[in-house]
Amino acid sequence: MAASESTVLQFSSTSTAISATVHPLVIFNICDCYVRRPDQAERVIGTLLGSILPDGTVDVRNSYAVPHNEFSDQVALDIDYHHNMLLSHQKVNPKEVIVGWYSTGFGVNGGSALIHDFYSREVTNPIHLTVDTCFTNGQASIKAYVSTNLSLGDRPLAAQFQEIPLDLRMVEAERVGCMYSLTF
Amino acid sequence: MEALASQAAIAQKTWELENNIVMTTVTADSSSKLLADQSSDSIFYFDDAAQTKFLQDKPWVNDPHYFKRVKISALALLKMVVHARSGGTIEVMGLMQGKTDGDSIIVMDAFALPVEGTETRVNAQADAYEYMVDYSTINKQAGRPENVVGWYHSHPGYGCWLSGIDVSTQMLNQQYQEPFLAVVIDPTRTVSAGKVEIGAFRTYPEGYKPPDEPVSEYQTIPLNKIEDFGVHCKQVLIFFHLGFGYSCFAPGLTPFYVIMQYYALDITYFKSSLDCHLLDLLWNKYWVNTLSSSSLLGNGDYVAGQISDLAEKLEQAENQLAHSRFGPLMAPPQRKKEDDSQLAKITRDSAKITVEQVHGLMSQVIKDILFNSVSQSQKSCSEQSDPEPMVET
């Protein structure tokens, strides 16, 4: 009777307590891409660039939008564009690597899982940032997620988007720029 | 809570009035607010046909002073400032994308170039051009049809103006890549003064004689750069000629000769409605951050540099004074007048440095009194020291 397998759904805890910090420049970039998106797109997705700090925190410093098409169940991503932009950005900032991806809009949906899958192949444990540009709850919510595996005993069931703590971090220059932007 | 909110609203309105903030008219009605938002967002719309026609017309060929204004988007400003600051004391450069609108150039986005900036660099190397072409093509694929309308670079710690190399680069640009704009950012002064130091310039073509300009804002230029500055901007020549290191555009003194090679454009800024919301969000969350940061912490080196430069200028002024006393061949009265104004300038410079330092110290003292003295019994000693800034310096 000794059940060597537990029959309880296990949420495997993340290997490290991952948290993320993001620079306001990234959010501005995302909003700008959203405002200038092509007319038929409902949301904008793109790549997040940054670095992983020694204590495990993911520092998101830059981003760029990636053209994509979304149908009910499928997502088509312009991979060439993504790689070309990555190369261009790395020429200017060789220390920036892919740390995840972002999308506008509230919450995650089926397409997001597919996209997250793609990014997991690019980098281990990407983070997913959502920026709610429609102010669904009356405020712009910016949330970050990582993918954790749900397993029942030994069998992997599904991957879950688990929210991680997010912090806004500003370099002094950004702060001056932001505060100045408030005045015009 | 509501009383606080209305007080805050009143305070904001008062501040806006004092600072002459021009707000686009937005009515309280929600539907028309959407319209107003859309119309202010219309600046983002890129009219391909109109742009091509404008490029063909080339109205700037006949009037070297054609472009008078620059509108920079909040995103472009932020990107440029962050990039400039990330270079530290090394000059960095990048390109700006946007469009034109009558006599204004609109800058919508900016991106960095992978080049090392030094004063001896005349032009970006070949791979920078390659980068520019690649980046522009990729951007057009992604639905951003703006063209490159200018370049920006940083002058860390020595002000916003065009050096000799910059002037020749810009003149070349204005021959082959019109319409083109030059923007200079000083990230060090931005951080130390708390407001963005930026200037936008266009050069005059070779041999053009500009009409007399009204005096521009006084800015202090370090001695080691003054030669470069003096050669290319009007009215400084007189001071340079007499061996002084000042950049002041002072009226009432006749210049020996005028070489005005570039002019500054008016800069205004714009942001989308979404940016506004985002900024409000940032402000609500991070006023604590602003309060806890201190401009004194990050700029020790820069301030030391300023003070040593001031000391050198003082010494120079002193030497000139000594010479004028023993130089009977020189015209004493005129000299004395200029020397007095030299001292006045030194005074102004030192006042500026002092004011910035005093501001920093004052704000720390006020914060200490406000926050620390109230709960002195409860808080531990560590609270008395400067709060750890959440901002990387």
Side-chain angles (χ1 to χ4, degrees):
Chain A
M1 207 211 73
S4 49
E5 301 182 349
S6 56
T7 50
V8 177
L9 191 62
Q10 285 184 343
F11 296 92
S12 60
S13 55
T14 47
S15 47
T16 51
I18 291 186
S19 65
T21 60
V22 78
H23 287 240
L25 182 61
V26 174
I27 316 284
F28 267 99
N29 235 333
I30 298 177
C31 287
D32 183 63
C33 294
Y34 179 77
V35 167
R36 308 209 281 150
R37 68 192 187 286
D39 288 327
Q40 70 275 16
E42 232 188 65
R43 63 174 186 168
V44 178
I45 67 166
T47 312
L48 292 172
L49 299 171
S51 57
I52 307 203
L53 301 174
D55 64 354
T57 321
V58 178
D59 189 29
V60 182
R61 276 197 244 132
N62 206 349
S63 67
Y64 57 86
V66 178
H68 78 296
N69 273 318
E70 238 174 302
F71 313 109
S72 54
D73 228 359
Q74 308 164 10
V75 179
L77 207 64
D78 194 340
I79 300 184
D80 273 340
Y81 178 92
H82 159 70
H83 278 135
N84 285 336
M85 277 297 249
L86 180 66
L87 288 172
S88 296
H89 276 269
Q90 284 191 321
K91 272 196 217 156
V92 182
N93 276 321
K95 295 204 201 121
E96 280 182 3
V97 293
I98 303 183
V99 292
W101 65 289
Y102 70 83
S103 84
T104 59
F106 195 67
V108 293
N109 58 20
S112 306
L114 292 169
I115 304 175
H116 197 83
D117 215 24
F118 165 71
Y119 277 97
S120 321
R121 274 176 258 140
E122 303 267 321
V123 69
T124 52
N125 213 4
I127 67 167
H128 173 45
L129 195 71
T130 55
V131 178
D132 181 18
T133 45
C134 303
F135 301 87
T136 320
N137 289 341
Q139 44 159 334
S141 57
I142 305 175
K143 292 195 202 287
Y145 303 93
V146 284
S147 160
T148 50
N149 287 318
L150 290 176
S151 58
L152 185 64
D154 278 342
R155 281 177 307 156
L157 262 189
Q160 180 208 24
F161 277 117
Q162 193 178 33
E163 200 177 330
I164 60 175
L166 183 66
D167 210 9
L168 266 182
R169 207 127 186 259
M170 292 198 253
V171 185
E172 183 66 21
E174 269 177 312
R175 191 186 63 79
V176 174
C178 282
M179 294 307 140
Y180 187 61
S181 302
L182 274 172
T183 65
F184 60 76
Chain B
M1 209 49 200
E2 271 191 18
L4 276 177
S6 64
Q7 269 181 4
I10 293 174
Q12 188 178 3
K13 286 274 175 287
T14 325
W15 181 85
E16 279 171 12
L17 260 174
E18 284 171 2
N19 285 282
N20 296 325
I21 307 288
V22 175
M23 297 292 268
T24 53
T25 48
V26 173
T27 60
D29 183 17
S30 58
S31 62
S32 52
K33 182 174 194 328
L34 195 59
L35 275 177
D37 283 345
Q38 284 174 351
S39 65
S40 63
D41 284 347
S42 66
I43 196 170
F44 289 91
Y45 179 64
F46 186 80
D47 188 347
D48 210 6
Q51 287 294 308
T52 349
K53 180 170 183 306
F54 189 80
L55 285 172
Q56 281 170 351
D57 281 344
K58 297 198 212 293
W60 55 80
V61 171
N62 297 326
D63 180 8
H65 214 303
Y66 181 75
F67 289 113
K68 300 194 182 52
R69 281 188 292 264
V70 180
K71 290 194 201 157
I72 305 186
S73 80
L75 177 70
L77 180 70
L78 210 57
K79 271 192 177 171
M80 292 194 284
V81 168
V82 170
H83 180 220
R85 183 62 170 167
S86 71
T89 47
I90 304 181
E91 287 95 2
V92 295
M93 77 180 259
L95 294 174
M96 308 184 289
Q97 294 168 305
K99 55 185 182 173
T100 52
D101 180 21
D103 68 352
S104 11
I105 301 188
I106 302 181
V107 175
M108 315 199 56
D109 200 0
F111 60 92
L113 279 179
V115 281
E116 273 257 315
T118 64
E119 284 293 325
T120 56
R121 174 187 50 84
V122 177
N123 258 319
Q125 290 97 354
D127 45 329
Y129 277 129
E130 211 181 284
Y131 182 94
M132 176 172 104
V133 169
D134 280 343
Y135 197 92
S136 304
T137 346
I138 299 178
N139 261 328
K140 293 212 165 65
Q141 280 174 6
R144 284 160 167 256
E146 287 87 28
N147 300 317
V148 173
V149 290
W151 65 300
Y152 69 90
H153 66 289
S154 65
H155 279 179
Y158 54 97
C160 295
W161 45 280
L162 289 183
S163 73
I165 314 285
D166 296 337
V167 167
S168 30
T169 316
Q170 178 61 10
M171 278 172 75
L172 211 62
N173 285 330
Q174 286 191 206
Q175 270 190 307
Y176 297 116
Q177 297 193 63
E178 280 282 57
F180 219 71
L181 180 69
V183 161
V184 183
I185 297 191
D186 186 344
T188 323
R189 285 195 190 174
T190 298
V191 172
S192 111
K195 69 182 200 70
V196 182
E197 282 276 318
I198 186 173
F201 309 101
R202 274 178 62 82
T203 52
Y204 292 122
E206 197 83 38
Y208 173 74
K209 208 159 168 229
D212 241 353
E213 289 239 324
V215 297
S216 62
E217 208 179 286
Y218 170 77
Q219 54 171 333
T220 164
I221 311 286
L223 264 183
N224 54 353
K225 304 276 179 193
I226 197 64
E227 230 180 83
D228 209 2
F229 183 90
V231 173
H232 299 275
C233 221
K234 166 165 85 157
Q235 289 123 320
V236 185
L237 229 29
I238 180 172
F239 303 114
F240 171 61
H241 188 82
L242 293 172
F244 270 75
Y246 273 98
S247 71
C248 184
F249 301 143
L253 286 165
T254 15
F256 279 106
Y257 49 99
V258 175
I259 302 180
M260 180 65 159
Q261 290 191 309
Y262 62 89
Y263 69 97
L265 291 93
D266 271 334
I267 305 184
T268 48
Y269 304 93
F270 65 93
K271 53 187 171 178
S272 72
S273 40
L274 197 54
D275 288 338
C276 288
H277 283 138
L278 183 65
L279 282 165
D280 282 338
L281 172 75
L282 275 178
W283 176 247
N284 287 334
K285 276 185 119 174
Y286 293 97
W287 58 270
V288 178
N289 214 332
T290 312
L291 213 54
S292 62
S293 70
S294 165
S295 62
L296 295 176
L297 291 174
N299 270 333
D301 284 344
Y302 171 67
V303 172
Q306 289 286 80
I307 296 182
S308 80
D309 192 61
L310 195 66
E312 278 173 34
K313 287 185 183 165
L314 208 51
E315 242 185 76
Q316 251 195 6
E318 220 181 328
N319 289 339
Q320 287 294 349
L321 270 175
H323 284 153
S324 72
R325 243 177 266 139
F326 300 120
L329 296 174
M330 305 289 191
Q334 197 180 12
R335 265 297 185 114
K336 241 209 237 166
K337 213 173 24 175
E338 278 148 21
D339 292 336
D340 285 357
S341 60
Q342 290 317 308
L343 279 178
K345 277 177 222 100
I346 296 180
T347 324
R348 236 187 302 183
D349 278 348
S350 61
K352 182 164 172 285
I353 300 177
T354 323
V355 161
E356 277 178 16
Q357 291 301 302
V358 169
H359 268 153
L361 287 169
M362 257 181 3
S363 56
Q364 287 302 104
V365 170
I366 292 177
K367 280 184 239 168
D368 185 52
I369 296 178
L370 267 178
F371 299 120
N372 286 344
S373 58
V374 177
S375 45
Q376 223 158 48
S377 52
Q378 293 143 346
K379 306 269 184 196
S380 61
C381 288
S382 59
E383 293 281 336
Q384 301 278 343
S385 60
D386 294 339
E388 175 88 34
M390 280 147 63
V391 169
E392 299 161 28
T393 46

